[in-house]
DNA sequence: CGTTTAATTGAAAACCGTCAAAGTGCGTGG
DNA sequence: CCACGCACTTTGACGGTTTTCAATTAAACG
């Protein structure tokens, strides 16, 4: 992307290893090269809610630039390869890197807004469908992905924790979607049906983005 | 606050008037002096989901600094008085104003995260309770509010649209809460019971904030 | 291969939504 | 000042979606 790629530390995380824990001071943000991760919260009764999913190409997490610490834990869903982007450098000489990170933060913000709408006002079936289509779209944007096929390394429990459902119900909904031909997730392979490839546009993060105001951006000089 | 208060335009909005519509270019952000507003989205079947509530003292909306336009409509819940903060000025000479707005954006971001956790993993009763306590806490922070009493100008339909519920169910939950003595909302007056005043701490936005990293902030010079 | 983890299925129950009707409060105008 | 209209609140009966509990099957992993 646009963040300078010289002198970057490469780092690996194994499956289920934490990239950050609650309250950890963060001196870097990660740019994900390979693998998936998620941010989550555990509620008092022990259940988990995933509040963000990080894919290759994503920053994890842009808001560390502002907060300087992790408000919620981040865990690797698969083995990961990331590059470390030191925040000190960015503080010292703000430039395009700041714009990239703030742009990514705005995207994450809009994605959260869309997710609130889904959780509050959409059925389980619509949420599953929308989530899988979003994953496909995001993978397609950064990476080379077939138009109607991609790999989703999430368990049904992971998806349930994103979708605010139980794993059992996710399973039933996936069966329904498979039967109705819209979307098929068999094993880790997601296949999109012919007609259902275009639909369920999100309210905010789906628009072709103009992230930073064209004239006189504040963060550049 | 810390945004310069000289040369500010004052503006009024009447109840149910839009502060912004989808896609509107935004050359200002509003600092709310009086009244409440909310951001919302309408789903295809016509139902509404509120994704943010703006109280006196809040900025509406910090992310306009980055996006330059409104991704979702904002509507006044009550008659409002606001001051306009022109973004051009901030672009021209970034300073404390940028830090204030980015700090507010981070708070809004964390608030959204907490709300995803509520919608995904908490019961209707817990959501109502948590929402009312959050409103009380936020009112208490900026304004002079009694420790156990405040005014909530929302209809039960408004609350339902925040909480991802129906107005009928909100009504029943409020009755339950009143009976169990925890929280009482009669008319527009919210009263907190003796023992239930401290509880349900949010995962992120509840912590005593250190918003901007203490050393070498990027947005200042 | 055996062991663990994940996926699948069924039956029953809980939670919340829908529909419908009646009650309450409040502002406007006569 | 009272009557009316309108918006909001409250209540009941019923239905649907999702959860819970439990058991079985399938897949992944050493």
């Amino acid at each position: 992307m646009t963040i300078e790629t010289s002198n970057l530390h490469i780092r690996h995380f194994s499956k289920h290893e934490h990239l950050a824990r609650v309250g950890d001071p963060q001196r870097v943000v990660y740019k994900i090269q390979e693998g998936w991760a998620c941010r989550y919260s555990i509620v008092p009764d022990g259940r988990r809610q995933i509040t963000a999913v990080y894919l290759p190409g994503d920053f994890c997490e842009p808001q560390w630039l502002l907060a300087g610490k992790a408000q919620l834990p981040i865990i690797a869903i698969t083995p990961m390869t990331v590059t470390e982007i030191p925040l000190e450098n960015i503080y010292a000489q703000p430039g395009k890197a700041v714009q990239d990170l703030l742009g990514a933060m705005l995207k994450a913000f809009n994605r959260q807004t869309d997710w609130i709408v889904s959780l509050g006002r959409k059925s389980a079936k619509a949420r599953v469908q929308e989530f899988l289509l979003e994953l496909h779209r995001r993978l397609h944007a950064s990476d080379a992905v077939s138009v109607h096929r991609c790999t989703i390394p999430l368990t049904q429990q992971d998806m349930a924790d994103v979708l605010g459902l139980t794993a059992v119900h996710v399973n039933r909904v996936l069966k329904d979607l498979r039967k109705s031909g819209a979307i098929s997730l068999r094993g880790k392979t997601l296949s999109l049906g012919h007609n259902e490839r275009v639909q369920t546009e999100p309210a905010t993060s789906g628009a072709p983005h103009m992230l930073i105001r064209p004239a006189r951006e504040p963060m550049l000089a």
Side-chain angles (χ1 to χ4, degrees), chain A residues 19-88:
Chain A
L19 280 72
R21 293 177 181 277
V22 187
D24 278 359
Q26 292 298 144
R27 314 175 146 282
V28 299
V29 297
Y30 302 118
K31 177 88 181 286
I32 299 176
Q33 305 300 325
E34 285 181 67
W36 291 32
C38 69
R39 178 167 45 124
Y40 68 92
S41 178
I42 303 290
V43 294
D45 66 5
R47 288 179 303 165
R48 179 176 72 155
Q49 177 67 43
I50 291 177
T51 59
V53 176
Y54 303 97
L55 309 184
D58 289 346
F59 292 114
C60 171
E61 309 192 280
Q63 67 268 28
W64 288 347
L65 177 71
L66 299 180
K69 67 174 182 180
Q71 268 103 352
L72 287 178
I74 317 280
I75 197 169
I77 292 171
T78 67
M80 300 185 71
T81 306
V82 305
T83 54
E84 290 189 338
I85 299 171
L87 294 178
E88 296 296 340

Side-chain angles (χ1 to χ4, degrees), chain A residues 6-220:
Chain A
S6 59
N7 258 346
L8 292 183
H9 278 196
I10 293 210
R11 188 162 168 191
H12 295 273
F13 292 97
S14 51
K15 186 175 176 178
H16 295 162
E17 186 179 354
H18 275 85
L19 280 72
R21 293 177 181 277
V22 187
D24 278 359
Q26 292 298 144
R27 314 175 146 282
V28 299
V29 297
Y30 302 118
K31 177 88 181 286
I32 299 176
Q33 305 300 325
E34 285 181 67
W36 291 32
C38 69
R39 178 167 45 124
Y40 68 92
S41 178
I42 303 290
V43 294
D45 66 5
R47 288 179 303 165
R48 179 176 72 155
Q49 177 67 43
I50 291 177
T51 59
V53 176
Y54 303 97
L55 309 184
D58 289 346
F59 292 114
C60 171
E61 309 192 280
Q63 67 268 28
W64 288 347
L65 177 71
L66 299 180
K69 67 174 182 180
Q71 268 103 352
L72 287 178
I74 317 280
I75 197 169
I77 292 171
T78 67
M80 300 185 71
T81 306
V82 305
T83 54
E84 290 189 338
I85 299 171
L87 294 178
E88 296 296 340
N89 297 359
I90 299 176
Y91 295 151
Q93 39 169 346
K96 202 156 189 51
V98 173
Q99 187 173 338
D100 285 347
L101 286 175
L102 291 177
M105 186 175 164
L106 183 59
K107 267 191 193 171
F109 186 96
N110 288 334
R111 199 171 283 140
Q112 281 195 152
T113 299
D114 288 340
W115 204 242
I116 287 174
V117 176
S118 274
L119 287 170
R121 289 295 183 225
K122 294 186 183 171
S123 69
K125 188 171 178 180
R127 294 213 292 274
V128 172
Q129 192 162 341
E130 193 168 308
F131 178 57
L132 292 177
L133 287 173
E134 182 196 324
L135 289 179
H136 180 270
R137 178 166 31 78
R138 287 171 64 188
L139 288 171
H140 197 275
S142 78
D143 210 331
V145 172
S146 157
V147 181
H148 54 59
R149 194 170 284 260
C150 60
T151 298
I152 308 286
L154 302 173
T155 67
Q156 293 181 3
Q157 182 63 59
D158 291 335
M159 291 187 237
D161 291 345
V162 172
L163 298 163
L165 300 169
T166 59
V168 171
H169 200 61
V170 167
N171 185 278
R172 295 193 225 272
V173 171
L174 285 174
K175 187 168 75 169
D176 282 1
L177 287 173
R178 228 178 287 133
K179 193 155 55 187
S180 65
I183 282 183
S184 166
L185 184 60
R186 305 188 64 83
K188 301 299 178 210
T189 301
L190 172 68
S191 309
L192 304 190
H194 312 277
N195 24 14
E196 333 288 330
R197 219 168 301 151
V198 182
Q199 62 177 26
T200 64
E201 70 330 331
T204 60
S205 56
H209 277 300
M210 68 78 105
L211 290 175
I212 307 288
R213 223 176 122 65
R216 296 169 97 184
E217 295 93 327
M219 321 307 171
L220 277 181

